[in-house]
Amino acid sequence: MTGTNPLLDEAELRQMTTEQAMIAGAEADGVHVVHRRDQFPVPGSRAEKRAERAVASLFVLSALAGVAFIVVFVAVPYSYKTPGHSQNFRFYTPLLGILMGLMLTLLGIGAILWAKSLMTEEELVQDRHDVPEDGPEQVMTGATLVSGVYDTGLPRRSLIVRSLGLAGGAVATVPLVILVGGLLKKPGKTLDHTLFAPNPDFPGGIPIVYSDGRRVSPNDLQPGGIATVFPGVRGGVHGPRSASSPTLLIRLRPGQGKLVKARKGQADWNWQDFVAFSKICTHAGCPASLYESQTTRLLCPCHQSQFEVLEDAKPVFGPATRSLPKLKLDVEVVDGAQYFVAPQDYQEPIGPGFWERS
Amino acid sequence: MNEPSEHGPRKDVMDEDVDALGFDPAVSATGADVESLAEPKPRPRKKRPAWRRRLSGALVLMVALGGVGGAYTLFATSSGANDTTTSQADIDAGRQLFNTACITCHGANLQGVHDRGPALIGVGSASVYFQVSTGRMPAAGQAAVEPRKEPKFTEQQIDQLGAYVESIGGGPALPQGSLKVDDKELAEGGELFRLNCAACHGSTGKGAPLSAGKSAPSLRDATDKQILAAMLSGPENMPAFSDNQLTPQQKKAILNYVQKLEASKDPGGNGLDRIGPVSEGLVIWILGIGAMMVVILWIGAKT
Amino acid sequence: MTTTQTPTRRSGKPRTIAGKSGVWIEERFRIAKPTRGLLNKVFPDHWSFMMGEIALYSFIVLLLTGTYLSFFFDASMGDVVYNGSYVPLRGVEMSRAYASTLHISFDVRGGLIIRQIHHWAALLFVAAMLIHMLRIFFTGAFRKPREVNWLIGLTLLVLGVVEGFAGYSLPDDLLSGTGLRIADAIILSIPLVGTWTSFLVFGGEFPGTEIVGRLYIVHVLLIPAILAALIGLHLAIMIRQKHTDFPGPGKTESTVTGIRFYPTFSAKATGFFFIVFGLLAALGGLAQINPIWLFGPYNPAQVSSGSQPDWYMAMLDGSTRLFPSWETRLWGHTVPALFWPTVVLPGVLIGLAAAYPFLEAKLTRDRARHNLLQRPRDVPVRTSLGAMALTFCFVLFVSGGNDLIAKAFDISLNAMTWGGRIATLVLPPLAYVVTYRICLGLQRHDREVLEHGVETGIIKRLPTGEFIEVHQPLGPVDEHGHGVLPYAGSAVPKRMNKLGTGQLTHVRGFFYPVKEKPEIAEKLAALEERERAESERHAELTD
C-alpha cells in the first residue's frame, strides 16, 4: 500500500461507525468509494416492500420447484419400454430438467435481483498500483537472488554445474523412460497384415464369412448387391485385431464387370463379377461403405472421399489419396456348394497412411 | 454356419440364360445404362416408323416372354416370393395402368425409352411396389434422385402393375404373409441395420447425401413393405440384398428394428431430430450462448 | 455523501459469534488485511466481462456431474452381453464402458439427466471459453501486462477441447468409436513417430483393449487437475493484475472502476452461477444429447452416415473434408494428406494465437502497459485480422457438417466440398476488407457526432427558407459551432436519451437513460487531481 490514506489507529477506528470504518479500510486498500447510496433511504416504503417481495417470491418458487423435483424423481416411472407399450418414460427426464432448471434459475435470478434492487448501490474506483515503482524492492530482491548464486559458488565451480546438469538430466529422463518404456509397443509389420494372411488351418485360403459366421457363396449376392465380410478365422469378426479386416464384397451389375480397369497385376483378383475391397478408408480409417450400385462409386461417410469401384476403387473425389486395397477372391467347392475364400492377404497395408508406408 | 443355398444354382442357370439373351434380369428400375442393352443402337430424338416400333416391341416382348419371363416365373422364388395368386385379370388391369401412366418413358414393352426411362424387364414386382407406392413413379422428369411423393395409385393398382411387369420380365417379388416378428430379434435387427443400412441411411434412419447430388432417403415414412421391396430390388443406387445374404427372418428383424426406432420416444427430452452433434452444436450456440448473452446483458444493465 | 442505512453503531469489540470467530481466526492466521483486500477488489460490471464466468461455472457443473457419473461408469473394454432395460440392445455383445453408459442412461434413476447435463456443460464450457477469448482479443485485453494470462487462457481452451474429446470417446459407442478411429489415423499421419505413437497410445493396433481405460484417467484426473490448476492461476493473475476497463470519461490507466467483490459482485456472481447451472439442467432435461443407444456399440466394421464430432472438433473435421488429396512421398516414406489439416493446421492456428500478443507488440512497437481496453473499431487492423481468422474457422466449421447441409438443402455433396474449398480462400480476405471498412465507418460516425452533435430530430426553418436539423452538441463548441471534444476511443452517445454517458464514468445506461450524479463528478475530479499530482511527483523522482 502506498499509504494514500494513512492508517488510523485502532482507537480512532473503534470510534467510527461500521460504514466509516469500512470506508477507511477500503481507502487503505486503495479503493475509493465515489458513490454509495441506499436504494431505499426511507425504510419500509412501498417500493422497497415490492422489491423485497419479488426477491422472496423467487426464492419460494425455487424451493417449490425443488420439492416438486423430489416428488417427480421418486414417483414418476422412468423405465424404458419398446413402442407398443406405454411411452410415459419419456416425460421423466424432461420433467426433472424443467424442475431442476427452475429451482436453480429462480434462485439465481432472485440473488441477482436482490443485488440489483435492494443492496446498497455503490461505485468504486480502485488504484491499480501496477506500475513497478518499487525500485528499491527490485534492487534488494535482485541482489538477494544474485548473491545466493554467488554463495553457492556455482559461477566458479563449473565441474559441479556440469555434473549437476547431468544428474538433473538423468532424474528428468528416467520417469520419461519408465512411462514411455511401459507404454511402448513395437508396431513392426502389424499394419501390413490383416487376418486374411495365410493361415495353416486353412490351406485353401481364408474362408470369407458374414458377420454371423456363415460362409459367403457367390449365389448369395444379387447383381448390384454388397456384403460386409470378414476372414473366417478366430477373432476375425469380433476381436482385438478385427478392426483391419472388414471387407466389402461387391457383385457388380451385369455389364459393369467388363468395364473394370484393374490396377497392374490385379486383373485376375476378381471372381467373375465379384470384387472385394478393404472397407477401411485409406484416408482416415472410417468404413467406406456407401456403395452406389448404379454409378459404382463408393463413398466414405466421414470425409466424403469417393472411390470408383470399376477402376479398382481409385479415389476420384475428396481427400483420400490411395485406392482401397483389393482382396483377391477365389472360390472353393465344399459339398457341391461354392464358397469364397481369400487365397492371399491384402497386398498393401489397409487403412490410413503412415510414415513407414511406401 | 454353412447354410446350403437351394435357390442359388437355379438362379445361376437363370443368369446364364439371361446373359445369353442379352438381358439383365435384376437391374434396377432406373438403371440408365441398361436401356442401351435392350436397344443396342438407340437413335435419339428420331422418330421411327410405327411399324418398326411395333415390330421391335413385339420382338422384345417375344424374347422377354420366351426367355426371361419363362425362367423367372419358374424360379422367381429365389427372392423370397412365393406362388401368389396373380390372376390374368390382374395382369390385364396392370397393362391398362401401365399403358396410361408408364408407357411414355418405359416403352410399350418395358424395354425403356432412351433418355427417358430404363427398361423394366426383370425388375420384378418388388421394384414396382417400391417405386410406385412411394410415389417416386410415375416421375415428373429425370432427376439424380427421385423424391418421395404421394402415391398416384392405390395399393390394388400397384399390385396389378407389379403383376403385369412381373408377367413380362419376372424379377424379385414381395413375399406374402406377415412381416411382423417378435421383439426378441430387435437387437439382431439393430446389429444388421447398423452393419448393412446405417452407412447410407444413418443409425437413426435420417438418410444421407451420396456423391454428386444423389442421396439415400430418410426411412421415416417408409413402410415395412416398402423397405422390404427396396432391400429385395435395390432401387436406384441402393445395393440389393438377396434372401441368401440376409435371410427373410433377418430382413424382418431389420424391418422391426427400423419401425421400432422410428416409433420409440426419446427418453432424454427433445430428440433434436436425432441428427447428433450438429444439432447439439446449434442448440448450444443459439439457445445456450444466446440465453447466456441475455442473462449477462441483464446482469450488466444499470437501472 | 453516504446516505445508507448501515447501522451507525460504533465498531467496538466484537460481541457476536461470527465476530468472535473472526477474531479467533485472525489471532491464528493473521489474514485480516489480505482478506479485506480481496473483499474490496473492484470488478467493472460491464456485461462483456462475464463471459469467462460462464466457462468457470460450466467447469464447476462439469466437476459435480462428472463425479456423480464416475460412480457408475466402468471404463473397461471387456466384453459383456447387455441385459439392461433398453430392449433394442438386449443380447448384444458390447464393451463394459458402453454397457455401463446404457446403465446410467436407463437403469439409474436420474442418471440420464446428469449424463446429459454433463455433456451440455462440456459444450457450453468450450463455447464460453471461445467467446471469452474473442472478447479479450477484440478489445486488446491481451496486451502488456496480460500476455501470460492470454497464453494460460489459450492453453485452457486447447485442454478443454482435448478433455471434451476424451469424454466424448469414453462411452465406446459407434459414433465416438468412429471418432477415435479418425484420431488414430491422425496420429498415424505424423511423420517419423506416427506409427509408434499410435501403438503407444492404443497399446497396439487400433482399437486394442486399453484406450477407454487410458482416456478415462486422462479425462477424470489428468486434464481436470491441470485445468483446475490453470483456472486457479488464471484467476489469481487476474486478481493480481486487476481487471481491464473500457475507456471513458473518468477512466484512467491507473484505476479500475466498478463494484466491490463483497457484497454486490459476489451476490451477482453466485446468482449467475445458479442461472448457468439452471440453464444446463433445463437443457439436460429437455434436449437429448449424445443418445448413444441409438448409435449402437462400437464395431470397426460399422459406420453411420452423418458421423460428426462435437462442435469444437467440427472445424478439424471440416478442414479434413476440404483438404485436397495431396500426399507426399519422401524417400520411400509417406506423409499422408491427413497430416496437414489435422496436425499442421491446428498447430499453426494455436501458434498464431499464442504469438499474437507478442507479434502485435513488436509490429506496433507498443511496449506500454495497457489497462484500458480498445473498442474494436479503433484498431481496425486487429479487428479485421480477427474477423478474417473467424471467417476462416467458420467456413471449416460449417464444412464439418457439409453432408447434413447437402442433404437438408438438396445440394450436391461434391459442390459443398468445392464451395468450402473456395470459401476458405476467398471469404477470409473479403472479411478483412469488409471489417476494415466497417471499423473506419464507425469511427467516422463517432467523429461526426463529436463535431456536430447528436441529431435531435428537430427540423428548423432558417429565415433564408433553408431547412436544417438541429444538432445537440456534446460539449463546448468553437466559433464555427463545431464540438471541441477530442476523439478518445470511448463510446459516443448517438441518441438524445444517451446524452450524459459521455460525461461521467458511473452513469451508464444499457436500456434506460441515465441520471445525473454531480457529487460523483466532484469526487472523480479530486481523484484525478491527486492522480496527476502523484504522477508528477513520480516523474520528479525518476528524473
Side-chain angles (χ1 to χ4, degrees):
Chain A
M1 294 303 126
T2 46
T4 50
N5 177 28
L7 272 178
L8 306 158
D9 64 27
E10 190 179 340
E12 276 177 290
L13 284 164
R14 292 226 183 273
Q15 285 307 306
M16 290 182 172
T17 64
T18 308
E19 186 176 36
Q20 284 167 337
M22 177 275 288
I23 290 172
E27 286 289 335
D29 291 339
V31 176
H32 316 287
V33 181
V34 291
H35 167 68
R36 190 170 152 80
R37 184 178 72 94
D38 197 315
Q39 302 210 45
F40 298 100
V42 185
S45 69
R46 196 176 290 175
E48 183 183 15
K49 284 209 172 113
R50 195 162 49 228
E52 192 180 346
R53 268 199 303 273
V55 173
S57 49
L58 284 169
F59 289 163
V60 169
L61 284 174
S62 164
L64 287 177
V67 172
F69 179 91
I70 295 169
V71 172
V72 169
F73 188 88
V74 175
V76 171
Y78 69 97
S79 283
Y80 176 85
K81 299 276 188 305
T82 45
H85 303 88
S86 162
Q87 298 281 296
N88 280 343
F89 65 86
R90 73 178 191 271
F91 301 118
Y92 186 71
T93 302
L95 274 177
L96 291 186
I98 292 170
L99 293 170
M100 191 170 167
L102 276 177
M103 174 182 79
L104 296 166
T105 313
L106 293 176
L107 176 60
I109 293 176
I112 292 171
L113 207 62
W114 180 14
K116 283 171 78 100
S117 66
L118 288 166
M119 288 185 187
T120 302
E121 194 182 275
E122 279 191 327
E123 185 80 34
L124 302 98
V125 174
Q126 181 171 22
D127 297 331
R128 290 184 183 275
H129 301 300
D130 63 342
V131 182
E133 55 189 337
D134 298 323
E137 297 288 348
Q138 273 184 26
V139 174
M140 289 187 289
T141 310
T144 309
L145 286 169
V146 174
S147 104
V149 172
Y150 278 99
D151 289 352
T152 59
L154 281 181
R156 284 179 291 137
R157 304 200 170 91
S158 60
L159 188 62
I160 290 194
V161 173
R162 285 184 201 147
S163 52
L164 184 65
L166 279 179
V171 171
T173 313
V174 163
L176 207 69
V177 168
I178 295 173
L179 179 71
V180 173
L183 287 171
L184 213 57
K185 282 263 169 34
K186 194 176 176 198
K189 296 281 173 200
T190 323
L191 291 180
D192 296 351
H193 302 293
T194 71
L195 292 174
F196 282 109
N199 186 322
D201 295 346
F202 303 98
I206 307 292
I208 293 178
V209 301
Y210 293 115
S211 61
D212 57 6
R214 284 184 295 138
R215 290 196 67 171
V216 182
S217 155
N219 299 326
D220 291 355
L221 264 62
Q222 273 174 247
I226 57 164
T228 302
V229 295
F230 303 84
V233 298
R234 259 187 58 158
V237 180
H238 285 294
R241 288 216 53 214
S242 65
S244 57
S245 321
T247 298
L248 201 65
L249 179 68
I250 301 172
R251 182 173 185 185
L252 299 169
R253 292 186 177 191
Q256 291 175 341
K258 298 178 193 106
L259 301 173
V260 170
K261 245 197 285 176
R263 280 199 278 163
K264 216 173 158 189
Q266 302 189 356
D268 61 340
W269 290 12
N270 307 3
W271 189 84
Q272 295 188 0
D273 48 359
F274 287 87
V275 276
F277 297 103
S278 166
K279 197 175 179 178
I280 309 303
C281 184
T282 54
H283 174 235
C286 291
S289 47
L290 282 71
Y291 179 59
E292 302 170 2
S293 65
Q294 269 175 4
T295 39
T296 60
R297 276 200 184 186
L298 195 54
L299 178 79
C300 178
C302 290
H303 305 107
Q304 286 85 43
S305 295
Q306 294 164 20
F307 303 90
E308 175 55 65
V309 165
L310 295 188
E311 293 177 39
D312 265 0
K314 185 179 93 177
V316 288
F317 189 83
T321 52
R322 298 192 185 234
S323 301
L324 294 171
K326 191 176 184 184
L327 185 67
K328 185 173 182 181
L329 287 175
D330 213 338
V331 157
E332 70 175 7
V333 179
V334 180
D335 300 333
Q338 292 179 308
Y339 296 108
F340 279 119
V341 291
Q344 61 182 32
D345 194 3
Y346 286 105
Q347 295 300 296
E348 55 193 316
I350 65 101
F354 49 94
W355 176 250
E356 290 84 354
R357 188 176 176 175
S358 59
Chain B
M1 65 181 266
N2 172 7
E3 194 179 277
S5 96
E6 52 181 286
H7 306 306
R10 276 188 283 166
K11 190 152 174 286
D12 269 6
V13 171
M14 177 204 79
D15 278 354
E16 280 161 27
D17 278 357
V18 170
D19 278 349
L21 290 164
F23 280 107
D24 158 23
V27 166
S28 101
T30 51
D33 53 335
V34 174
E35 187 203 330
S36 55
L37 292 171
E39 251 185 325
K41 281 179 190 165
R43 279 163 239 184
R45 302 290 105 207
K46 191 178 172 189
K47 208 170 178 186
R48 290 173 297 167
W51 65 268
R52 269 192 64 182
R53 204 168 63 220
R54 238 173 268 133
L55 183 71
S56 68
L59 202 73
V60 168
L61 180 65
M62 216 168 66
V63 170
L65 277 176
V68 192
Y72 248 118
T73 40
L74 279 172
F75 302 120
T77 47
S78 73
S79 299
N82 57 17
D83 315 57
T84 57
T85 50
T86 355
S87 68
Q88 191 55 41
D90 284 340
I91 296 175
D92 291 340
R95 181 186 296 119
Q96 290 285 319
L97 292 167
F98 186 90
N99 288 345
T100 51
C102 323
I103 197 164
T104 336
C105 302
H106 295 293
N109 300 299
L110 282 65
Q111 79 279 28
V113 175
H114 185 73
D115 277 348
R116 281 200 196 155
L120 298 184
I121 295 159
V123 300
S125 60
S127 175
V128 173
Y129 184 82
F130 176 83
Q131 297 288 354
V132 182
S133 76
T134 60
R136 288 179 166 83
M137 291 291 143
Q142 283 194 326
V145 172
E146 277 305 328
R148 192 183 177 92
K149 296 189 293 280
E150 275 298 303
K152 291 260 178 10
F153 296 104
T154 65
E155 197 82 350
Q156 193 199 359
Q157 287 173 320
I158 295 168
D159 287 345
Q160 289 166 343
L161 264 177
Y164 169 63
V165 169
E166 196 174 318
S167 74
I168 292 180
L174 280 171
Q176 302 290 307
S178 169
L179 297 175
K180 294 278 168 270
V181 286
D182 204 57
D183 273 356
K184 282 201 188 84
E185 286 161 64
L186 202 50
E188 190 200 354
E191 278 294 283
L192 290 168
F193 177 78
R194 286 188 288 275
L195 185 65
N196 293 297
C197 321
C200 296
H201 296 288
S203 49
T204 54
K206 302 308 297 179
L210 300 173
S211 72
K214 298 182 281 290
S215 68
S218 159
L219 301 179
R220 199 187 63 205
D221 300 321
T223 65
D224 277 348
K225 269 178 88 176
Q226 287 165 353
I227 297 172
L228 185 60
M231 285 198 274
L232 287 168
S233 65
E236 299 189 23
N237 264 308
M238 178 169 159
F241 295 89
S242 79
D243 280 353
N244 295 332
Q245 181 189 353
L246 288 173
T247 65
Q249 196 61 22
Q250 287 179 326
K251 286 200 176 82
K252 286 181 193 172
I254 293 177
L255 295 180
N256 187 34
Y257 181 78
V258 172
Q259 301 301 358
K260 291 284 154 66
L261 181 75
E262 297 295 340
S264 72
K265 302 290 181 197
D266 289 308
N270 187 302
L272 307 183
D273 213 20
R274 295 185 180 172
I275 287 173
V278 170
S279 52
E280 292 157 13
L282 284 178
V283 166
I284 203 64
W285 274 101
I286 294 170
L287 266 177
I289 292 293
M292 285 296 122
M293 289 301 113
V294 171
V295 171
I296 61 178
L297 284 174
W298 174 63
I299 298 176
K302 292 281 165 136
T303 46
Chain C
M1 169 196 84
T2 52
T3 55
T4 64
Q5 291 294 313
T6 318
T8 47
R9 194 167 66 67
R10 307 284 144 196
S11 320
K13 294 266 184 213
R15 284 180 294 265
T16 59
I17 294 178
K20 283 176 182 163
S21 327
V23 171
W24 191 93
I25 292 171
E26 175 61 9
E27 280 170 352
R28 279 153 187 83
F29 303 108
R30 236 187 134 237
I31 51 166
K33 195 175 164 185
T35 306
R36 196 186 64 236
L38 210 59
L39 297 177
N40 277 333
K41 177 180 160 43
V42 169
F43 284 78
D45 52 356
H46 191 267
W47 61 270
S48 72
F49 284 63
M50 269 172 268
M51 292 168 178
E53 277 178 59
I54 307 174
L56 177 66
Y57 302 149
S58 306
F59 183 70
I60 296 172
V61 173
L62 283 167
L63 289 183
L64 294 173
T65 51
T67 308
Y68 172 88
L69 292 174
S70 72
F71 296 155
F72 303 98
F73 181 68
D74 182 359
S76 153
M77 292 173 90
D79 277 342
V80 65
V81 174
Y82 180 68
N83 196 27
S85 26
Y86 187 65
V87 182
L89 285 169
R90 225 180 251 173
V92 173
E93 203 175 302
M94 56 182 65
S95 66
R96 288 178 181 280
Y98 186 73
S100 60
T101 313
L102 286 177
H103 177 73
I104 293 171
S105 306
F106 289 102
D107 294 300
V108 176
R109 201 177 262 280
L112 181 58
I113 190 171
I114 300 297
R115 221 196 104 218
Q116 298 199 134
I117 294 175
H118 190 72
H119 204 132
W120 282 119
L123 297 194
L124 186 64
F125 178 53
V126 187
M129 282 198 284
L130 184 63
I131 55 167
H132 174 57
M133 182 180 168
L134 291 178
R135 203 281 291 173
I136 301 294
F137 179 84
F138 283 113
T139 58
F142 55 81
R143 291 173 299 165
K144 185 180 171 185
R146 294 181 177 78
E147 307 96 323
V148 174
N149 238 10
W150 167 264
L151 292 178
I152 294 175
L154 185 66
T155 313
L156 282 170
L157 179 67
V158 173
L159 278 179
V161 169
V162 176
E163 172 74 345
F165 183 76
Y168 161 91
S169 301
L170 286 182
D172 202 22
D173 56 298
L174 187 53
L175 183 62
S176 72
T178 305
L180 263 186
R181 175 54 132 161
I182 298 171
D184 176 48
I186 292 171
I187 298 174
L188 278 175
S189 77
I190 302 170
L192 222 60
V193 296
T195 318
W196 285 83
T197 313
S198 160
F199 274 62
L200 182 142
V201 169
F202 287 86
E205 194 183 5
F206 176 88
T209 52
E210 314 269 351
I211 189 67
V212 168
R214 287 180 182 175
L215 282 178
Y216 183 64
I217 209 67
V218 167
H219 181 75
V220 304
L221 180 76
L222 201 59
I223 299 185
I226 301 175
L227 279 177
L230 286 181
I231 289 174
L233 190 59
H234 198 64
L235 294 180
I237 292 178
M238 181 266 288
I239 290 170
R240 175 79 192 150
Q241 296 184 328
K242 301 194 175 65
H243 275 74
T244 52
D245 208 347
F246 278 103
K251 302 287 184 71
T252 70
E253 283 285 356
S254 56
T255 56
V256 56
T257 310
I259 55 174
R260 279 183 300 174
F261 179 72
Y262 174 80
T264 330
F265 179 81
S266 51
K268 284 185 179 178
T270 312
F272 190 34
F273 165 71
F274 284 115
I275 292 179
V276 171
F277 201 168
L279 174 97
L280 288 171
L283 268 180
L286 294 170
Q288 181 165 289
I289 187 165
N290 200 23
I292 50 133
W293 54 91
L294 295 176
F295 307 147
Y298 180 58
N299 178 333
Q302 298 174 356
V303 72
S304 167
S305 59
S307 286
Q308 254 87 13
D310 277 347
W311 76 262
Y312 42 80
M313 298 290 270
M315 214 192 91
L316 280 190
D317 200 26
S319 65
T320 312
R321 289 170 186 219
L322 298 187
F323 195 78
S325 51
W326 293 342
E327 181 174 291
T328 322
R329 295 181 197 185
L330 296 167
W331 310 291
H333 291 289
T334 300
V335 182
L338 194 58
F339 176 63
W340 306 105
T342 59
V343 182
V344 175
L345 177 79
V348 168
L349 286 180
I350 295 170
L352 279 177
Y356 188 82
F358 307 100
L359 285 179
E360 191 189 281
K362 198 166 174 63
L363 293 178
T364 58
R365 299 195 189 153
D366 179 2
R367 303 247 157 67
R369 310 168 63 81
H370 296 285
N371 290 318
L372 286 182
L373 298 173
Q374 290 164 309
R375 291 184 308 162
R377 73 186 65 171
D378 293 326
V379 200
V381 173
R382 180 203 297 146
T383 307
S384 309
L385 283 175
M388 190 162 107
L390 262 187
T391 310
F392 179 74
C393 294
F394 186 73
V395 173
L396 296 186
F397 178 77
V398 169
S399 295
N402 63 2
D403 49 341
L404 294 177
I405 297 170
K407 171 89 174 122
F409 300 102
D410 218 356
I411 305 168
S412 162
L413 197 55
N414 301 25
M416 281 302 295
T417 306
W418 273 110
R421 284 173 179 173
I422 294 166
T424 43
L425 299 179
V426 173
L427 290 188
L430 199 68
Y432 185 95
V433 174
V434 169
T435 312
Y436 202 94
R437 303 316 308 177
I438 292 176
C439 286
L440 293 189
L442 288 171
Q443 274 189 36
R444 197 151 124 191
H445 190 199
D446 280 358
R447 286 180 207 280
E448 260 171 33
V449 173
L450 284 171
E451 194 175 341
H452 299 293
V454 180
E455 294 172 356
T456 57
I458 301 165
I459 307 292
K460 199 163 97 177
R461 188 174 179 207
L462 298 181
T464 56
E466 186 191 355
F467 286 95
I468 56 155
E469 181 175 4
V470 177
H471 283 69
Q472 166 67 47
L474 293 176
V477 292
D478 60 14
E479 63 271 25
H480 305 293
H482 292 159
V484 294
L485 288 176
Y487 186 86
S490 55
V492 173
K494 301 279 169 56
R495 291 197 307 274
M496 287 302 280
N497 67 356
K498 292 282 183 187
L499 281 181
T501 50
Q503 294 165 13
L504 294 172
T505 152
H506 76 289
V507 266
R508 283 151 293 182
F510 199 85
F511 297 118
Y512 304 98
V514 286
K515 300 162 267 185
E516 289 277 339
K517 285 175 187 167
E519 82 276 5
I520 297 160
E522 287 162 23
K523 179 86 185 180
L524 278 169
L527 273 174
E528 264 170 42
E529 182 56 40
R530 206 198 62 217
E531 185 101 26
R532 199 164 34 246
E534 241 178 69
S535 63
E536 271 164 21
R537 190 167 51 87
H538 185 72
E540 277 166 28
L541 281 176
T542 47
D543 278 347

